[in-house]
Amino acid sequence: MSRRPTVARFSLSASARQHIDAIMATARDQIEAVLQREVSRLIADAHDGANQKAAHHRPAKQEVMATPAVPQPIYIRPGKAQQMFGVHRATLYRWANAGHITIHKRGAATFVRLDEVRAFIEGNQP
């Protein structure tokens, strides 16, 4: 008959649990940032692929006019806006409630447009 190894049982202190929670929150934020970049890249790749496919199926005699590239808006998380502009997240929500900027939701994630926040801070928006 073989013996089963014993498992040491211990409890974590409150400060150790807080430290682990902080590490986990940082890891979640980093994973979310990577996922956001990858999703943006995949969407851009899909958009480029659709444009190439559409260009491939155009009649040969049709002349294609060059159109200037329209810059895509950049969406950032309220925490990132707080870091970039030194504005508290709650202030961003107050501005949104007042109609100065728009809050965008994608599932549980919240985003604001970088150009809207910058324009409001610089006074270029009513």
Side-chain angles (χ1 to χ4, degrees), residues 25-117:
T26 301
R28 275 192 301 273
D29 290 345
Q30 291 172 348
I31 290 169
E32 188 174 292
V34 168
L35 287 173
Q36 183 180 353
R37 278 195 310 268
E38 286 301 308
V39 167
S40 296
R41 184 188 58 79
L42 290 171
I43 291 170
D45 289 350
H47 182 67
D48 291 344
N51 286 344
Q52 289 174 356
K53 186 175 182 180
H56 178 69
H57 287 83
R58 288 191 182 120
K61 293 183 181 180
Q62 183 180 3
E63 206 172 297
V64 180
M65 294 178 52
T67 57
V70 177
Q72 296 295 318
I74 298 173
Y75 293 91
I76 58 174
R77 302 294 302 263
K80 185 68 172 176
Q82 179 179 355
Q83 291 173 354
M84 292 175 71
F85 300 108
V87 176
H88 197 272
R89 287 179 22 170
T91 302
L92 293 171
Y93 287 102
R94 280 196 299 274
W95 290 349
N97 288 336
H100 300 298
I101 63 172
T102 307
I103 297 289
H104 302 272
K105 297 288 280 184
R106 299 291 182 266
T110 304
F111 298 93
V112 293
R113 280 182 55 171
L114 178 63
D115 58 341
E116 281 185 351
V117 176

